[in-house]
Amino acid sequence: MDLARLFMRMAMIVRRPPSRRQLIAIGVVAAVIAVCVAVEWAGLWPEALTAHRVRTPRL
């Protein structure tokens, strides 16, 4: 990743921070992802919802 672009984006966020609603939405999405990862890591994720890699024949 380009460091100049990263610093420009961070400066933009500092100058104009996200609204309270956006922060709540980001927090909810992060929490849902964390719960899904924890359930998968603990081995409690249902087998029916696990994505399996499909091998396609090479041409």
Side-chain angles (χ1 to χ4, degrees):
M1 180 175 232
D2 187 17
L3 282 179
R5 177 177 265 181
L6 177 68
F7 286 130
M8 289 296 288
R9 182 171 289 280
M10 287 189 327
M12 233 171 64
I13 290 172
V14 168
R15 289 185 188 131
R16 202 166 160 231
S19 69
R20 185 182 221 45
R21 181 178 279 181
Q22 286 177 327
L23 290 175
I24 291 171
I26 291 168
V28 167
V29 169
V32 167
I33 291 170
V35 167
C36 288
V37 168
V39 168
E40 171 69 27
W41 183 75
L44 302 173
W45 195 259
E47 189 65 30
L49 297 178
T50 303
H52 297 287
R53 188 174 195 184
V54 177
R55 299 248 180 210
T56 57
R58 296 186 187 251
L59 298 176

